[in-house]
Amino acid sequence: FGIAVLAGTLSADRITRSLRHLRDAAAQIDLRDLSGRVPVEGKDEIAELATTFNHMCDRLEAGERSRRQLLADTAHELRHPLAVLQGHLDLMQDGKVEINQESLLPIQDEVIRLTRLVADLRDLSLAEVGKLSLHPAPVSMQELLGGLLANLGPVAVSKEIKLAAEIPATLPLLQADPDRLRQIFVNLLSNALHYTPPG
């Protein structure tokens, strides 16, 4: 009987200790500290709860890191077009550049780029909450990339960059959202053209 009481007391102590760890770790999360983890003792339901809690903290911490990285990347991406816009507008206000269709083209390009960045952020926020709508349809990669190359070709030519697509004629149609697929390739190719040096 004494052994049973001792075992029961030890088990109760372990459960109480584990629950205290969970309470303290949950309080840390409430203070936006996601570093807390709970010791896993044994293999019962309390241990499973502790393991699940730790996995949840891992996911929250990874999500927070991704959010911070996204904010840093967004700030970096926005800085360049804003600097270009500011520079061109300053030159125009100082009278060093004549305001005409040609001098407004770089400003228009950067406005288009900013608009695309904002749309990308909106799509990303929708994707994160599972509300990004997709409309799959048969897509010909030859036609999709052919159209993109026609649009981006002048940019490539101006930078003396060769832009070409090598797609097998036998490639079957893809079942995908053509708008989202086009968005992916526009982002990839625009970035490639922007950061590739002339020649």
Side-chain angles (χ1 to χ4, degrees):
F1 177 75
I3 294 174
V5 171
L6 179 61
T9 302
L10 290 174
S11 179
D13 285 346
R14 186 178 66 79
I15 291 171
T16 303
R17 187 170 61 250
S18 296
L19 291 175
R20 275 200 304 267
H21 287 312
L22 279 167
R23 179 201 62 197
D24 294 343
Q28 278 184 272
I29 291 175
D30 194 41
L31 296 172
R32 300 188 65 81
D33 178 3
L34 303 175
S35 62
R37 297 295 183 272
V38 180
V40 179
E41 302 177 25
K43 295 183 179 180
D44 57 7
E45 289 86 353
I46 298 294
E48 287 180 18
L49 177 62
T51 300
T52 301
F53 183 88
N54 289 341
H55 287 163
M56 179 193 72
C57 288
D58 290 341
R59 289 194 299 274
L60 286 173
E61 202 168 26
E64 182 64 13
R65 280 196 304 271
S66 296
R67 187 186 68 82
R68 288 177 182 170
Q69 186 62 51
L70 174 63
L71 287 174
D73 290 345
T74 301
H76 176 75
E77 287 292 327
L78 290 173
R79 194 175 295 121
H80 176 76
L82 288 173
V84 171
L85 287 172
Q86 186 67 56
H88 280 280
L89 290 173
D90 286 346
L91 289 173
M92 289 176 179
Q93 286 177 332
D94 293 342
K96 295 177 181 177
V97 171
E98 183 183 348
I99 300 175
N100 54 38
Q101 188 173 0
E102 186 179 348
S103 64
L104 289 174
L105 279 177
I107 293 176
Q108 184 184 24
D109 288 344
E110 296 305 327
V111 169
I112 291 170
R113 187 175 175 203
L114 282 170
T115 303
R116 196 182 79 234
L117 281 170
V118 171
D120 288 348
L121 286 172
R122 183 203 63 215
D123 290 344
L124 182 61
S125 65
L126 289 173
E128 284 187 338
V129 295
K131 293 187 177 179
L132 182 64
S133 58
L134 296 174
H135 305 285
V139 179
S140 164
M141 288 305 294
Q142 288 92 340
E143 291 180 13
L144 187 140
L145 288 179
L148 288 180
L149 292 187
N151 291 339
L152 295 171
V155 179
V157 169
S158 69
K159 294 190 68 175
E160 299 177 5
I161 296 171
K162 181 182 178 184
L163 186 61
E166 295 179 7
I167 306 169
T170 56
L171 188 71
L173 296 177
L174 298 181
Q175 192 68 18
D177 185 320
D179 292 332
R180 299 300 175 198
L181 204 54
R182 188 177 294 107
Q183 187 178 19
I184 291 168
F185 279 104
V186 165
N187 285 341
L188 288 172
L189 292 171
S190 296
N191 283 334
L193 289 171
H194 183 75
Y195 292 107
T196 300

